[in-house]
Amino acid sequence: MKIHEYQAKELLRKYNVPTPRGEVAETPEQVREIAERFGGVVAVKAQVHIGGRGKAGGIKVAKNPEEAEEKARQILGMDIKGFTVNKVLVEEGIDIKEEYYLGVIVDREAGRNAVMVSSAGGMDIEEVAAETPEKIAKAWAYPGRGLLPFQINRLIFDAGINPAVRKEAAQFLRALFDCYLGVDATLAEINPLVVTGDGKVIAADAKIDIDDNAMFRHPDLEAYRDEEGAENPLDAEARRRGINYVHLGGEVGIIGNGAGLVMATLDEVKRAGGNAANFLDIGGGAQADLVANSLDLVLSDPNVKGVVFNIFGGITRGDEVAKGILEGVGRLDVKVPIVVRLTGTNEEEGRAILRGSQVIPAETMQEAAREIVRRSRE
Amino acid sequence: MKIHEYQAKELLRKYNVPTPRGEVAETPEQVREIAERFGGVVAVKAQVHIGGRGKAGGIKVAKNPEEAEEKARQILGMDIKGFTVNKVLVEEGIDIKEEYYLGVIVDREAGRNAVMVSSAGGMDIEEVAAETPEKIAKAWAYPGRGLLPFQINRLIFDAGINPAVRKEAAQFLRALFDCYLGVDATLAEINPLVVTGDGKVIAADAKIDIDDNAMFRHPDLEAYRDEEGAENPLDAEARRRGINYVHLGGEVGIIGNGAGLVMATLDEVKRAGGNAANFLDIGGGAQADLVANSLDLVLSDPNVKGVVFNIFGGITRGDEVAKGILEGVGRLDVKVPIVVRLTGTNEEEGRAILRGSQVIPAETMQEAAREIVRRSRE
Amino acid sequence: MSILLNKETKVIVQAITGREGGFHARLMKEYGTQVVGGVTPGKGRQTVLDDVPVFNTVKQAVEETGATASCIFVRAEHNAADAVMEAADAQVPLIVCITEGIPQQDMVKAVDFVKQQGVRLIGGNCPGLITPGDAKIGIMPGHIHTPGPVGIVSRSGTLTYEVVVNLSRVGIGQTTVVGIGGDPILGTRFVDVLPLFEADPETKAVVLCGEIGGSDEEVAAEYIKSMTKPVVSFISGRTAPEGKRMGHAGAIISGRSGTPQAKVDALNAAGATVADSLADIPDMVQKLLS
Amino acid sequence: MSILLNKETKVIVQAITGREGGFHARLMKEYGTQVVGGVTPGKGRQTVLDDVPVFNTVKQAVEETGATASCIFVRAEHNAADAVMEAADAQVPLIVCITEGIPQQDMVKAVDFVKQQGVRLIGGNCPGLITPGDAKIGIMPGHIHTPGPVGIVSRSGTLTYEVVVNLSRVGIGQTTVVGIGGDPILGTRFVDVLPLFEADPETKAVVLCGEIGGSDEEVAAEYIKSMTKPVVSFISGRTAPEGKRMGHAGAIISGRSGTPQAKVDALNAAGATVADSLADIPDMVQKLLS
């Protein structure tokens, strides 16, 4: 789950990670009021679930409350790569002396949490990683033991952090890592990590991704979920219904069981000359109701000109899927072609259920893909 | 560091380990007052740093406040194996349905923390360990990871804890282990661990030893140090002066550097027919002041008829020790013989300093032991 | 021969008294797997599936049954990672974790623990493994498999079934099919399974089914360079747009690594024929076998 | 020959800029030990003892000097256990921790970590080790040692010096003298050192100096049964009363194990002659050597 910068900073503060004083606002007037209370220079920062806000004009500095209100008026409602800005974070200006990059991620290959620190702060870290990897100091936390003091020490020396703030930087790193583990994050990025003129180490920006699988441990974080700014309302709707859906924007709706199989179906549709409207995985052991609901969701996309089902029964039973398809088709007045490829557990029963309906059967996934692409063009 | 039962229970409560309601008292009147507030049956328990209180009559149950006061009068001031009872813990009576033993210790051989649970609660666990070891369920915590949930589960099943309180027992174990690690304990024993009639799991007794080496992390626990009840006032005095001293009760005072060497000197004194008054290790790199202070402490024991120094200079310098001895001898009016065996670093300088003083030199530790035993009998 | 699993393997099922665990334990048993016991804390001394004893702890189950493998259906919220560690602590040599949705930090700890204990974990979030005709541990439909000369290793469940069905249909059977799972943190990766196939005398060719995300295929490609046996590979999600999450947490394209093209290039460079469509795999394998 | 340490060993000193670290680094160097560097965070790029470079991290020190051993003087309150783990993480093969007073829970973690990293830790709270005439790592007075045929392993510092002096005085030298330390949780125990002496062709006899507390002597006795070389042993504190703490945390007699008599009996049964007095050791060794 992606969370906003202001939410990430709320979490950081809970773990004693220093952040600038800041408040979130939804109107230019609120922004002015906050800026008045803060006094002096403030930054007004768009809160959207996408990178590159700065370059897109989503972050502006204001010298006084009037200017803050004016900047907020420019930013609020703005479109950044398809995301609408509904909220801004108003932060006290900080006296930036040095900028560093700090990132913690789950390193799949190592099977451990990796911590990266670089003096190339504020820059595009992927570019730094590609071009001057020696500028990134790395350490891998030992599972169960966490990030050990000597590792923190080494990161600071290797990244060339100003020795004058070594103690503060070590405290920051420890607290950040505690936060990362504490909230079950899969990513925590502080870019830039700022050393201020008076020797404070502070998180100027913050990005935290929470592990969706761990949300059962963090019911309080559910409130951080914000689908409003998502790219497509269908993604939000899918989330509400508990359906594993990704909007892709093409004209062929795709439903299947198992992520790999659905992705392969996407590939086959593409090879057949079509464009996937979405990715939808009903998972293992789906019941008729979920299938009907999924069809409903896919069909609510006005671009969709046809839907293909690709089901390989294992735990998922063919008859359940067939029932769900008919239920969905019955509920809605379906005008577009629906091609169904059904095999595996209870495939016979499933096909029998679908016989005589408007649903078009297919033998293989390749055939199904060709068929739906052809028919959705008609 | 040994702490009292009431202190151990204070720590347990901080870690949410269930304990009976209880308060500490120093007079029979206080006991009565506490018993009045608690109402009903109470237990009055001697707080001394020695085991076997129960058998010695240091634990008594009272049915009402009057009886509580009376029992307190019997217990307070009592001598238990050389320890004087200055405090009692007054606890609400608990409805004991089942009794278990629970112990956590540092297992030297495994290099890990071992947890032991047994249904043979309330009994002498060492006897159980020797005679029916299969009645003790054991688990070793994984360093850094702690006691894992499956280990707690297994301990409970293997020890045959009543399945009806499995969840409560698991919570108890987890909390107790957290407490153990949290306070840097080297031992935590709950004997008996009680299951009450209404299905609560509660620490009826508690014994916790804190790692002296870890006290720098727990300055707040310094207040728990209680030397008053110690066997000998000299032990308390040594602690105050920061001297590594153990009172042993014989007539030959022993001072040396290095625990192994001092113990070997003890053995030699015994072989020569004497009895050690104490063990005193001045440690490595001792300065003259510590040496003088140590001599002072040993001589303050009225039983001491002679003192032997056994010094092997390494980090410890012979001249420093010699200076310290003369300083000590000069400060006090020493009436008993002092034999000094000095070798290793700066031994020549040391011997030169002692020459002409009342101190008797010896070549080897065997000679020194024989000499001091002989002279202390004169 | 086969890898990892055969008729001799004695399997216990953790959470055997649950809906999924019970259902699949029965299917495994029906397929011929020696299901020697189950574990559900608090349900010890029961018997399920006619004659399968249930134990309170894995340790007890291993002691009483001599189990050499465990199949885990414990739900993520019920601490599936702890169940994995319990099996590892009890020195079960092969642990197969079917459970999906285990938090990544739990898996980081569990995978490290399993390695320390010197045992093998397959999964989590995997369909398990099957040696056709001998035994299966997991949830794959047994009947689509046929004994034969092809080893299969895959990150995806249903996709693998598709490959198996297509191969079986043209008469190409499998030595062992291993579904390693699609999560970011896994007990076993491609590169851990390939050497087993390379060493197995009955395996004549290998099919590797990868997908977008991570860099396991690239790492596998490095190993494939040194293999004597032919490898056919397939990468699912090649047309998926960057940065879109496709259900498997692993299927995120992040930064420079994990792009489908990088995987295809690496596999091609290593001499592992890459199939553009699943439908092409049987022909390609047939050619390599003959 | 010798064990663990010789002229080729390259040593770094952690906390070399401290009082103790600096003092003993100089003595080690004077004895002939290759002291190639020191580590003190924040004091990197300095030079001490004429030509010994100081680094901020152990990793850097190892990379730049090729160190094969580290001697740790970091104080307990400054997290000596972390210093041990830093050396282990940097894959220093031999770590000698002189520091005394390290909390037991810190050592539990550090010793486990060191094992996982596959390196060797001696100590904490130990005098270190010396191969007379070649090199020393630690705080023992070098001049009392003589090269020769006897391996010594001991839990106590000054007691060992006493044994060494008595041996040297009658002309019996030492291959290597290893002080394993007296703490309850140790990196290396008797039973870890004895096989090294057994395998060392120059070591003709072994002296083992134990003390009351723990059961390391009993464990060692088990191994001694299988040794071809003669072992002389000594147990310090045999007359100490039960339950009294004697400075070394290890020297507590608890319960049935660790009583001096149990140790003496076990060693006698294993064929390791037990000396009643330190003074008897030289004669006993002399007899066994001839």
Side-chain angles (χ1 to χ4, degrees):
Chain A
M1 179 176 83
K2 288 183 178 185
I3 64 173
H4 289 301
E5 178 194 3
Y6 78 92
Q7 296 165 328
K9 285 180 171 169
E10 270 176 26
L11 294 179
L12 291 177
R13 279 191 281 271
K14 276 188 198 162
Y15 286 85
N16 299 316
V17 180
T19 58
R21 191 178 164 202
E23 282 179 35
V24 74
E26 299 189 12
T27 67
E29 294 71 29
Q30 285 172 349
V31 170
R32 182 194 184 113
E33 189 271 323
I34 294 165
E36 274 165 0
R37 271 191 288 117
F38 284 3
V41 175
V42 295
V44 183
K45 306 163 89 176
Q47 299 296 292
V48 281
H49 287 311
I50 190 83
R53 293 174 302 171
K55 282 182 193 157
I59 300 178
K60 289 183 194 297
V61 172
K63 284 192 222 67
N64 52 53
E66 294 69 35
E67 209 180 304
E69 182 177 346
E70 191 193 313
K71 303 286 187 190
R73 222 172 280 282
Q74 294 164 20
I75 296 171
L76 281 162
M78 200 177 156
D79 179 285
I80 301 180
K81 300 183 191 172
F83 287 77
T84 307
V85 181
N86 297 319
K87 286 177 181 145
V88 290
L89 172 61
V90 185
E91 278 187 342
E92 235 173 19
I94 44 176
D95 170 20
I96 299 177
K97 195 175 137 208
E98 289 157 10
E99 291 187 322
Y100 299 93
Y101 168 88
L102 168 55
V104 190
I105 53 157
V106 179
D107 180 340
R108 299 170 56 124
E109 227 172 282
R112 298 188 168 189
N113 293 298
V115 183
M116 298 173 288
V117 185
S118 174
S119 57
M123 293 170 58
D124 182 340
I125 195 67
E126 284 173 20
E127 215 169 273
V128 177
E131 283 158 33
T132 49
E134 72 282 0
K135 281 196 177 163
I136 304 180
K138 290 181 195 133
W140 285 264
Y142 286 94
R145 299 174 193 272
L147 197 59
L148 298 168
F150 73 83
Q151 294 182 300
I152 291 178
N153 207 35
R154 199 159 70 201
L155 282 168
I156 290 170
F157 281 115
D158 288 354
I161 288 185
N162 190 339
V165 297
R166 186 153 69 92
K167 210 174 140 190
E168 291 77 10
Q171 275 168 357
F172 189 102
L173 263 159
R174 158 123 351 260
L176 178 81
F177 193 78
D178 285 349
C179 177
Y180 171 86
L181 285 187
V183 303
D184 266 299
T186 54
L187 172 84
E189 239 176 354
I190 309 297
N191 191 17
L193 170 72
V194 160
V195 176
T196 64
D198 56 346
K200 289 205 181 85
V201 176
I202 190 165
D205 195 0
K207 177 168 163 45
I208 293 179
D209 291 353
I210 311 283
D211 185 354
D212 279 304
N213 286 342
M215 285 300 286
F216 70 86
R217 282 203 280 250
H218 307 283
D220 51 315
L221 295 184
E222 229 10 277
Y224 278 0
R225 208 182 279 288
D226 174 14
E227 307 295 352
E228 286 179 57
E231 275 171 286
N232 192 286
L234 284 169
D235 286 320
E237 180 59 27
R239 170 71 68 180
R240 270 190 290 276
R241 297 197 197 176
I243 295 173
N244 190 352
Y245 172 97
V246 181
H247 188 72
L248 296 172
E251 73 289 347
V252 179
I254 296 174
I255 300 173
N257 65 327
L261 190 67
V262 179
M263 282 197 287
T265 315
L266 252 71
D267 296 345
E268 289 294 347
V269 165
K270 186 85 179 178
R271 278 163 56 85
N275 289 298
N278 66 279
F279 163 102
L280 195 160
D281 175 13
I282 59 170
Q287 304 288 305
D289 192 48
L290 175 67
V291 177
N293 239 314
S294 297
L295 182 58
D296 184 28
L297 181 76
V298 169
L299 288 171
S300 70
D301 178 352
N303 292 334
V304 164
K305 301 279 182 290
V307 179
V308 60
F309 277 85
N310 187 10
I311 304 295
F312 201 115
I315 326 184
T316 311
R317 287 162 44 190
D319 52 339
E320 276 291 330
V321 175
K323 265 188 240 166
I325 295 173
L326 285 198
E327 191 185 314
V329 169
R331 217 149 59 180
L332 321 151
D333 182 18
V334 180
K335 299 267 165 46
V336 301
I338 296 180
V339 173
V340 176
R341 185 272 182 138
L342 195 60
T343 191
T345 313
N346 294 7
E347 58 180 55
E348 291 308 327
E349 292 86 335
R351 285 183 201 148
I353 289 168
L354 293 176
R355 212 161 290 144
S357 75
Q358 70 185 90
V359 163
I360 304 134
E363 275 298 306
T364 67
M365 65 187 281
Q366 290 72 28
E367 186 193 320
R370 282 194 301 268
E371 199 63 17
I372 195 63
V373 170
R374 193 176 61 77
R375 289 187 185 249
S376 61
R377 285 198 183 131
E378 280 173 358
Chain B
M1 181 176 81
K2 288 184 177 183
I3 63 173
H4 288 302
E5 177 193 4
Y6 78 92
Q7 295 165 328
K9 285 180 171 171
E10 267 176 29
L11 294 178
L12 291 176
R13 280 191 280 272
K14 277 190 197 160
Y15 286 85
N16 299 315
V17 180
T19 58
R21 189 177 167 206
E23 281 179 39
V24 73
E26 299 188 15
T27 66
E29 294 72 28
Q30 284 173 352
V31 171
R32 183 195 183 112
E33 189 271 323
I34 295 165
E36 272 163 4
R37 274 189 288 116
F38 283 4
V41 175
V42 295
V44 182
K45 305 162 90 177
Q47 300 295 290
V48 280
H49 287 312
I50 191 83
R53 293 175 301 172
K55 283 182 194 159
I59 301 178
K60 290 184 193 296
V61 173
K63 286 192 221 68
N64 53 53
E66 292 70 36
E67 209 179 307
E69 184 178 344
E70 190 194 311
K71 304 284 187 192
R73 222 172 280 280
Q74 293 164 17
I75 296 172
L76 280 162
M78 196 177 160
D79 179 285
I80 302 180
K81 300 183 191 174
F83 287 78
T84 308
V85 181
N86 296 318
K87 286 178 182 145
V88 290
L89 172 61
V90 185
E91 278 188 341
E92 236 173 19
I94 46 175
D95 169 22
I96 299 177
K97 196 174 136 208
E98 289 158 10
E99 291 187 321
Y100 299 94
Y101 169 87
L102 168 55
V104 189
I105 52 156
V106 179
D107 180 339
R108 300 169 55 126
E109 224 172 287
R112 298 190 166 187
N113 293 299
V115 183
M116 297 172 289
V117 186
S118 174
S119 57
M123 293 169 59
D124 182 342
I125 195 66
E126 283 173 20
E127 215 169 274
V128 177
E131 283 158 32
T132 49
E134 71 282 0
K135 279 196 179 162
I136 304 179
K138 292 183 193 130
W140 284 263
Y142 286 95
R145 299 175 192 270
L147 197 59
L148 297 168
F150 74 82
Q151 293 182 300
I152 291 178
N153 208 36
R154 200 159 70 200
L155 282 169
I156 291 169
F157 282 115
D158 288 355
I161 288 185
N162 190 341
V165 297
R166 186 152 69 91
K167 211 174 140 189
E168 290 77 11
Q171 275 169 358
F172 188 102
L173 263 159
R174 161 128 340 271
L176 178 80
F177 194 77
D178 286 349
C179 177
Y180 171 86
L181 284 188
V183 303
D184 267 299
T186 54
L187 171 84
E189 238 177 355
I190 309 297
N191 191 18
L193 171 72
V194 160
V195 177
T196 64
D198 56 346
K200 289 205 182 85
V201 176
I202 190 164
D205 194 1
K207 175 168 166 44
I208 293 180
D209 289 354
I210 310 284
D211 186 354
D212 280 304
N213 286 341
M215 285 300 287
F216 69 87
R217 283 203 279 251
H218 308 283
D220 50 315
L221 295 185
E222 227 14 275
Y224 277 1
R225 205 182 283 286
D226 174 14
E227 308 295 353
E228 284 179 58
E231 277 170 283
N232 192 285
L234 283 169
D235 286 319
E237 180 59 27
R239 170 72 68 182
R240 268 190 291 277
R241 296 198 196 174
I243 295 174
N244 191 353
Y245 172 97
V246 181
H247 187 73
L248 297 172
E251 74 288 347
V252 178
I254 296 175
I255 299 175
N257 64 327
L261 189 66
V262 179
M263 282 196 289
T265 314
L266 251 70
D267 296 345
E268 291 293 347
V269 165
K270 185 87 179 175
R271 278 163 57 85
N275 289 298
N278 67 278
F279 165 101
L280 195 159
D281 176 12
I282 59 169
Q287 305 289 304
D289 192 47
L290 175 67
V291 177
N293 240 312
S294 297
L295 182 57
D296 184 28
L297 182 76
V298 169
L299 288 173
S300 69
D301 178 352
N303 292 335
V304 164
K305 302 278 182 286
V307 179
V308 60
F309 277 85
N310 187 11
I311 304 296
F312 202 114
I315 327 181
T316 310
R317 286 161 46 190
D319 52 339
E320 276 291 331
V321 174
K323 265 188 241 166
I325 294 173
L326 285 198
E327 192 185 314
V329 168
R331 217 152 54 185
L332 320 151
D333 182 18
V334 179
K335 300 262 166 49
V336 301
I338 296 182
V339 173
V340 176
R341 186 270 181 141
L342 195 58
T343 189
T345 313
N346 293 8
E347 56 180 57
E348 289 311 326
E349 293 86 336
R351 285 183 200 150
I353 289 170
L354 293 176
R355 213 161 288 145
S357 75
Q358 68 183 94
V359 162
I360 305 134
E363 274 299 305
T364 67
M365 64 189 280
Q366 288 73 25
E367 186 194 318
R370 278 193 303 268
E371 198 63 18
I372 196 64
V373 170
R374 193 176 61 80
R375 289 182 185 253
S376 61
R377 284 199 183 133
E378 285 171 355
Chain C
M1 282 271 292
S2 57
I3 67 166
L4 296 167
L5 171 69
N6 59 32
K7 281 198 167 102
E8 312 305 318
T9 311
K10 290 180 178 174
V11 181
I12 53 170
V13 175
Q14 288 176 254
I16 197 167
T17 57
R19 207 175 61 94
E20 293 263 303
F23 178 68
H24 288 290
R26 182 176 296 282
L27 291 183
M28 282 186 243
K29 216 179 154 204
E30 284 169 8
Y31 192 74
T33 311
Q34 284 197 53
V35 177
V36 295
V39 178
T40 301
K43 303 215 170 159
R45 300 187 196 175
Q46 294 187 7
T47 297
V48 295
L49 307 181
D50 303 336
D51 59 355
V52 177
V54 181
F55 302 92
N56 286 321
T57 67
V58 175
K59 194 165 187 215
Q60 208 193 341
V62 169
E63 280 167 4
E64 310 253 330
T65 68
T68 56
S70 181
C71 189
I72 295 174
F73 288 94
V74 176
R75 284 166 55 193
E77 316 87 82
H78 293 166
N79 209 344
D82 185 61
V84 169
M85 293 195 281
E86 181 175 6
D89 173 88
Q91 291 293 307
V92 176
L94 178 67
I95 304 164
V96 182
C97 181
I98 307 301
T99 313
E100 61 179 343
I102 302 178
Q104 291 192 33
Q105 296 301 341
D106 291 8
M107 283 308 289
V108 165
K109 283 186 199 155
V111 167
D112 183 67
F113 185 87
V114 165
K115 273 186 197 150
Q116 272 175 40
Q117 298 298 313
V119 296
R120 185 187 297 273
L121 167 68
I122 294 182
N125 192 15
C126 79
L129 66 166
I130 181 168
T131 292
D134 270 18
K136 72 165 190 163
I137 302 179
I139 58 173
M140 69 291 292
H143 69 276
I144 62 174
H145 298 81
T146 335
V150 178
I152 302 180
V153 58
S154 171
R155 271 168 69 184
S156 160
T158 43
L159 187 71
T160 319
Y161 308 162
E162 188 81 38
V163 173
V164 168
V165 158
N166 290 345
L167 285 174
S168 291
R169 191 178 287 150
V170 299
I172 304 175
Q174 304 88 42
T175 45
T176 302
V177 181
V178 185
I180 58 171
D183 277 358
I185 305 296
L186 292 171
T188 296
R189 296 173 181 276
F190 287 135
V191 80
D192 302 313
V193 178
L194 292 175
L196 305 179
F197 282 133
E198 174 73 3
D200 173 44
E202 279 195 9
T203 301
K204 306 296 181 202
V206 177
V207 176
L208 179 150
C209 298
E211 62 184 32
I212 54 173
S215 53
D216 283 8
E217 291 79 5
E218 289 91 324
V219 175
E222 276 305 304
Y223 177 78
I224 290 171
K225 284 181 187 166
S226 69
M227 280 178 73
T228 61
K229 297 179 181 176
V231 178
V232 169
S233 58
F234 176 78
I235 302 295
S236 158
R238 285 166 68 176
T239 65
E242 272 196 33
K244 288 278 184 183
R245 197 193 160 101
M246 297 299 183
H248 276 198
I252 302 174
I253 307 181
S254 55
R256 249 152 275 260
S257 95
T259 62
Q261 200 52 50
K263 291 175 190 300
V264 170
D265 290 349
L267 288 164
N268 271 326
T273 336
V274 182
D276 283 334
S277 167
L278 279 177
D280 301 341
I281 294 176
D283 274 1
M284 293 166 77
V285 172
Q286 192 81 73
K287 246 177 240 167
L288 291 169
L289 284 177
S290 60
Chain D
M1 282 269 294
S2 56
I3 67 167
L4 296 166
L5 171 68
N6 58 33
K7 280 199 167 98
E8 313 304 318
T9 310
K10 291 180 176 173
V11 181
I12 53 170
V13 175
Q14 289 177 251
I16 197 167
T17 58
R19 207 175 62 95
E20 293 263 303
F23 177 69
H24 288 289
R26 181 177 297 280
L27 291 184
M28 283 185 242
K29 216 179 153 204
E30 285 170 6
Y31 193 75
T33 312
Q34 284 197 54
V35 178
V36 296
V39 178
T40 300
K43 304 217 168 157
R45 299 188 196 174
Q46 296 185 7
T47 297
V48 294
L49 308 181
D50 303 336
D51 59 354
V52 178
V54 181
F55 302 92
N56 285 320
T57 67
V58 174
K59 194 165 188 215
Q60 209 193 339
V62 169
E63 280 166 7
E64 310 252 331
T65 67
T68 56
S70 183
C71 189
I72 296 175
F73 288 94
V74 176
R75 284 166 55 193
E77 318 87 81
H78 293 166
N79 208 343
D82 185 61
V84 169
M85 293 195 282
E86 180 176 6
D89 173 88
Q91 290 294 306
V92 176
L94 178 66
I95 304 164
V96 182
C97 181
I98 307 301
T99 312
E100 61 180 342
I102 303 177
Q104 292 192 32
Q105 296 301 340
D106 291 9
M107 282 309 288
V108 164
K109 285 186 197 154
V111 167
D112 183 67
F113 185 87
V114 165
K115 274 186 197 148
Q116 271 174 42
Q117 298 297 312
V119 295
R120 184 188 298 271
L121 168 67
I122 295 182
N125 191 16
C126 80
L129 67 166
I130 181 168
T131 293
D134 270 18
K136 71 165 193 163
I137 302 179
I139 58 173
M140 70 290 293
H143 69 276
I144 61 171
H145 298 81
T146 335
V150 177
I152 301 181
V153 58
S154 172
R155 271 168 72 184
S156 161
T158 42
L159 187 70
T160 320
Y161 309 162
E162 188 81 38
V163 172
V164 168
V165 158
N166 290 345
L167 286 174
S168 292
R169 191 178 288 151
V170 299
I172 305 173
Q174 306 88 41
T175 47
T176 302
V177 180
V178 184
I180 58 172
D183 277 358
I185 306 295
L186 292 171
T188 296
R189 295 173 182 276
F190 286 134
V191 80
D192 303 313
V193 178
L194 292 175
L196 306 178
F197 281 133
E198 173 73 3
D200 173 42
E202 278 196 10
T203 300
K204 307 296 180 203
V206 177
V207 175
L208 180 149
C209 297
E211 61 186 29
I212 54 172
S215 53
D216 283 9
E217 289 79 6
E218 288 91 323
V219 175
E222 276 306 304
Y223 177 77
I224 290 172
K225 285 181 188 166
S226 70
M227 280 178 75
T228 61
K229 297 181 182 174
V231 177
V232 169
S233 57
F234 176 77
I235 303 295
S236 157
R238 284 165 70 176
T239 64
E242 273 198 31
K244 288 278 182 180
R245 195 189 164 101
M246 299 296 180
H248 275 199
I252 302 174
I253 307 182
S254 54
R256 250 153 275 258
S257 93
T259 61
Q261 199 53 49
K263 292 175 191 298
V264 170
D265 291 348
L267 289 164
N268 270 328
T273 334
V274 182
D276 283 333
S277 166
L278 279 177
D280 301 339
I281 295 178
D283 274 359
M284 293 166 76
V285 172
Q286 191 81 69
K287 247 177 240 166
L288 291 167
L289 285 176
S290 60

